[in-house]
């Protein structure tokens, strides 16, 4: 009996897909004048030399912004999705599940879930109005979506009241009809109405113009399964057992005082997060509620069984003083594996925020090597712990201080890149942790502190 096996893919292919760059890679070679929509928007042009950082267009007030959306394509209508209503959450989930990103062979898909969106789309201050959909008028079917969440960005010490735009998705049958610009203009209108004029967004595709570019990296945890589902090939002259041994991890963590974050830790975690992030050029400023949300989720997420968790945060507590000296977190976004007789899911974790007070030990010239040692050990513990959450591959981009530990911990560089963009704000380029040859930049590291989902 012939098995319907997926074609062999390398982990690099997987990561390229994760970076959402695969589908549109042909379009990446466009000139500025070819960007019919983007050339009309307040964004930096390619190769533009930024003289001064700041907003591009400051001429308008909310009163100047139309009260009504742009006209929608015939037979379609605008809708505000109410994610408090389970059926509407389910429609967003289904649209993204089926149309967001998949590989060309349709062998795997992002397995977004309602509980993931609960976390990603409903942080403190979230607005229903910024969950924008398009439905078919006659059937009510949801065919497009774009979302915004509020965030206080900080670029080189300047606070910027902003939104993060994410989950732009158009049904496959409606592609290439210039609907994306209409969705982007509509979310812009709704955000501007609230007197917010700047946004942060990221994409695998090249648009005018990235403020920073990071590279995706991956750390196989369950090599055998990755091989089984066709993600990783066996290199020549190496046995399966050798590959498994290469990626084997100890069964227990080694950091003293490591434990799961509790609600009571929030003040200390926030303080440590804020101090650590201040070392980067582009960061997100959290208040206490946001810190709790982003590191622990809401009550329903905290109550989930361990292996269904979306966000996991561990802290290191100095047992003698009760002081929290370090923390790390990772979030879970699994894949559905299609048409495989042995596996239907692939567990994927993404490194989120972390901090350690080793970074503040200024009386030492060789602080980077101390930081590197500490991060090696902390993130190795994150890898070990992630196995309890059915994680098969652990991903990270080259932001934060990640380049310090990626190689040591056997993260392999992928083919995918993640470009960060600012809307209506000019900023000097920010290092993404890679050099001109796209290799890890151990000298300059990254100025990107913010992690985008
Ligand atoms: S990134 C994730 C994007 N989603 C996916 O990759 C899922 C699968 N793909 C799709 O659903 C569609 O292919 C999408 C494009 C929807 C991506 N970001 O309608 P079209 C430009 C921005 O004919 P389609 C994420 O969610 C393209 O260059 N623009 O194309 C962050 C062209 O413009 P131009 C993009 O393929 C989103 C135009 O769209 C992207 O049917 C941030 C073509 O439109 C992209 N990822 O649909 C959005 N892809 O002529 C910006 C293509 O100029 C937010 N395009 O080249 C800006 C801030 C807004 C708020 C401001 C508040 C102050």
């Amino acid at each position: 009996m012939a098995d319907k096996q997926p074609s062999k893919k390398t982990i690099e292919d997987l990561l390229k897909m994760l970076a959402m760059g695969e589908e549109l890679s042909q379009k990446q070679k466009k000139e500025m004048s070819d960007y019919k929509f983007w050339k009309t928007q307040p964004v930096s042009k390619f190769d533009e030399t930024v003289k001064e950082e700041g907003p591009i267009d400051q001429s308008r007030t909310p009163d100047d912004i139309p009260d009504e959306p742009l006209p929608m394509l015939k037979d379609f209508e605008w809708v505000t999705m109410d994610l408090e209503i389970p059926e509407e959450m389910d429609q967003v989930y289904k649209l993204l599940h089926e149309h967001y990103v998949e590989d060309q062979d349709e062998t795997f898909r992002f397995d977004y879930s309602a509980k993931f969106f609960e976390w990603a789309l409903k942080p403190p201050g979230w607005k229903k109005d910024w969950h924008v959909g398009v439905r078919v008028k006659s059937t009510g079917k949801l065919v497009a979506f774009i979302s915004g969440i509020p965030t206080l960005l900080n670029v080189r010490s300047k606070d910027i009241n902003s939104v993060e735009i994410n989950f732009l998705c158009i049904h496959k049958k409606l592609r290439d009809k210039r609907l994306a610009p209409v969705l982007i203009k509509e979310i812009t209108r709704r955000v501007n109405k609230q007197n917010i004029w700047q946004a942060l967004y990221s994409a695998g595709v090249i648009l005018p113009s990235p403020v920073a570019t990071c590279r995706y990296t991956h750390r196989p945890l369950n090599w055998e399964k990755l091989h089984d589902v066709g993600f990783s090939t066996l290199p020549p002259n190496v046995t399966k057992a050798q590959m498994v041994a290469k990626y084997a991890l100890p069964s227990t963590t080694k950091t003293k005082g490591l434990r799961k974050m509790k609600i009571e830790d929030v003040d200390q975690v926030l303080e440590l997060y804020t101090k650590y992030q201040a070392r980067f050029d582009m960061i997100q400023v959290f208040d206490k509620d946001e810190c709790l949300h982003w590191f622990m989720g809401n009550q329903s997420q905290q109550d989930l069984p361990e292996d269904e968790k979306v966000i996991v945060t561990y802290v290191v507590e100095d047992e003698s003083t009760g002081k929290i000296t370090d923390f790390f977190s990772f979030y879970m976004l699994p894949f559905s594996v299609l048409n495989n007789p042995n596996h239907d899911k692939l567990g994927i974790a993404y490194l989120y925020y972390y901090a350690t007070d080793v970074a503040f030990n200024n009386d030492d010239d060789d602080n980077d090597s101390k930081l590197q040692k500490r991060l090696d050990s902390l993130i190795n513990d994150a890898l070990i712990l992630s196995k309890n959450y059915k994680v098969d591959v652990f991903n990270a981009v080259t932001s934060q201080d990640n380049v310090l530990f990626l190689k040591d911990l056997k993260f392999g560089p992928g083919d995918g890149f993640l470009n960060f963009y600012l809307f209506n704000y000019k900023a000097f380029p920010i290092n993404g942790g890679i050099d001109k040859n796209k290799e890890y930049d151990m000298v300059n590291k990254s100025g990107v502190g913010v992690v985008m989902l």
Side-chain angles (χ1 to χ4, degrees):
M1 203 175 73
D3 278 342
K4 214 177 160 205
Q5 282 280 3
S7 60
K8 287 284 171 209
K9 274 189 180 296
T10 63
I11 293 181
E12 280 67 31
D13 290 334
L14 157 71
L15 264 291
K16 195 171 168 185
M17 192 215 98
L18 285 173
M20 301 170 202
E22 190 176 59
E23 230 176 321
L24 294 167
S25 58
Q26 288 309 312
K27 295 186 186 170
Q28 294 191 358
K29 296 181 190 86
K30 296 201 295 194
E31 301 284 320
M32 186 69 197
S33 57
D34 298 330
Y35 286 90
K36 291 198 173 49
F37 167 63
W38 281 108
K39 73 178 177 191
T40 67
Q41 298 300 299
V43 291
S44 305
K45 296 181 182 51
F46 292 123
D47 302 325
E48 181 174 337
T49 311
V50 175
K51 294 205 181 79
E52 202 186 334
E53 296 197 312
I56 297 172
D57 173 12
Q58 295 190 80
S59 63
R60 288 169 311 155
T61 71
D63 288 342
D64 302 322
I65 303 300
D67 290 322
E68 297 301 322
L70 285 172
M72 185 28 70
L73 301 173
K74 192 174 154 283
D75 303 328
F76 297 90
E77 63 188 3
W78 289 112
V79 59
T80 296
M81 299 305 289
D82 187 343
L83 301 186
E84 300 281 80
I85 301 176
E87 295 81 58
E88 302 214 3
M89 177 68 102
D90 202 46
Q91 289 164 359
V92 172
Y93 157 72
K94 283 209 172 89
L95 174 74
L96 272 101
H97 184 71
E98 284 163 28
H99 301 277
Y100 198 49
V101 188
E102 72 185 8
D103 66 322
Q104 277 161 356
D105 305 344
E106 302 195 356
T107 50
F108 51 86
R109 279 194 193 133
F110 277 117
D111 191 17
Y112 284 111
S113 59
K115 53 185 191 285
F116 185 88
F117 289 130
E118 228 5 85
W119 181 63
L121 291 178
K122 288 165 67 183
W126 69 279
K127 286 194 174 16
K128 190 170 113 179
D129 200 41
W130 295 348
H131 298 156
V132 184
V134 174
R135 288 192 195 279
V136 178
K137 258 190 201 155
S138 58
T139 60
K141 189 180 164 74
L142 185 71
V143 289
F145 184 72
I146 189 166
S147 67
I149 53 169
T151 188
L152 182 58
L153 261 189
N154 181 289
V155 178
R156 294 196 180 87
S157 307
K158 273 192 209 155
D159 279 348
I160 311 169
N161 196 15
S162 313
V163 287
E164 270 182 29
I165 303 295
N166 209 339
F167 306 112
L168 165 63
C169 181
I170 295 176
H171 190 292
K172 285 176 195 159
K173 290 199 172 139
L174 272 177
R175 298 269 169 95
D176 295 322
K177 296 188 191 316
R178 311 297 304 175
L179 183 55
V182 185
L183 282 161
I184 294 169
K185 282 190 213 161
E186 176 56 8
I187 192 105
T188 304
R189 186 190 71 81
R190 292 181 183 212
V191 171
N192 286 168
K193 271 285 175 204
Q194 302 294 324
N195 203 18
I196 297 176
W197 306 90
Q198 272 75 36
L200 171 70
Y201 50 104
S202 64
V205 290
I206 302 281
L207 305 165
S209 295
V211 63
T213 301
C214 294
R215 187 166 185 173
Y216 274 91
T217 73
H218 55 86
R219 204 296 182 185
L221 297 181
N222 190 352
W223 186 86
E224 208 157 14
K225 180 167 167 191
L226 292 171
H227 181 67
D228 238 28
V229 298
F231 282 153
S232 47
T233 45
L234 188 63
N237 308 320
V238 182
T239 65
K240 280 188 186 180
Q242 283 170 321
M243 290 306 283
V244 172
K246 174 176 172 183
Y247 292 116
L249 285 164
S251 53
T252 51
T253 57
K254 82 167 194 234
T255 310
K256 241 179 98 197
L258 185 66
R259 61 162 174 81
K260 287 195 76 174
M261 179 180 170
K262 300 183 210 153
I263 292 177
E264 309 82 271
D265 299 326
V266 67
D267 288 322
Q268 288 205 62
V269 168
L270 179 58
E271 197 187 324
L272 191 54
Y273 166 87
T274 306
K275 202 169 165 198
Y276 196 84
Q277 283 281 311
R279 301 159 57 256
F280 303 112
D281 294 331
M282 183 165 70
I283 63 176
Q284 236 180 335
V285 181
F286 287 160
D287 65 18
K288 198 167 160 178
D289 288 344
E290 288 169 317
C291 180
L292 199 59
H293 176 87
W294 290 117
F295 291 128
M296 296 193 68
N298 62 19
Q299 192 60 54
S300 71
Q301 280 140 354
Q302 291 166 27
D303 293 343
L304 285 169
E306 278 310 273
D307 62 357
E308 286 178 33
K309 287 256 193 279
V310 174
I311 174 72
V312 173
T313 304
Y314 278 79
V315 297
V316 180
E317 180 182 332
D318 181 319
E319 277 146 12
S320 56
T321 61
K323 190 170 174 263
I324 288 174
T325 55
D326 321 67
F327 77 87
F328 59 72
S329 55
F330 50 89
Y331 66 90
M332 249 65 71
L333 182 45
F335 271 166
S336 302
V337 180
L338 313 173
N339 303 323
N340 186 288
N342 304 321
H343 305 284
D344 57 6
K345 226 174 197 184
L346 201 58
I348 307 187
Y350 287 80
L351 183 61
Y352 195 47
Y353 292 105
Y354 56 83
T356 170
D357 67 3
V358 169
F360 316 129
N361 197 349
N362 291 331
D363 54 343
D364 198 323
D365 287 347
D366 200 17
N367 202 30
D368 249 15
S369 73
K370 285 209 171 123
L371 179 61
Q372 176 164 24
K373 219 168 138 207
R374 183 65 177 172
L375 291 178
D376 271 359
S377 144
L378 278 173
I379 307 301
N380 202 51
D381 279 353
L383 296 175
I384 294 168
L385 288 165
S386 75
K387 291 194 120 189
N388 300 337
Y389 301 86
K390 298 187 185 159
V391 173
D392 300 309
V393 57
F394 197 112
N395 295 329
V397 295
T398 52
S399 61
Q400 303 182 87
D401 286 313
N402 298 0
V403 291
L404 291 181
F405 58 78
L406 290 172
K407 222 181 204 154
D408 291 348
L409 299 187
K410 299 179 185 158
F411 282 78
D415 286 348
F417 294 88
L418 186 66
N419 302 295
F420 290 81
Y421 301 96
L422 292 168
F423 185 89
N424 197 19
Y425 198 87
K426 276 193 179 138
F428 304 126
I430 294 174
N431 200 310
I434 46 176
D435 60 20
K436 283 202 176 78
N437 301 319
K438 319 271 188 216
E439 308 289 341
Y440 302 153
D441 185 345
M442 305 286 282
V443 180
N444 300 305
K445 297 187 283 175
S446 179
V448 178
V450 59
V451 179
M452 287 204 72
L453 306 181

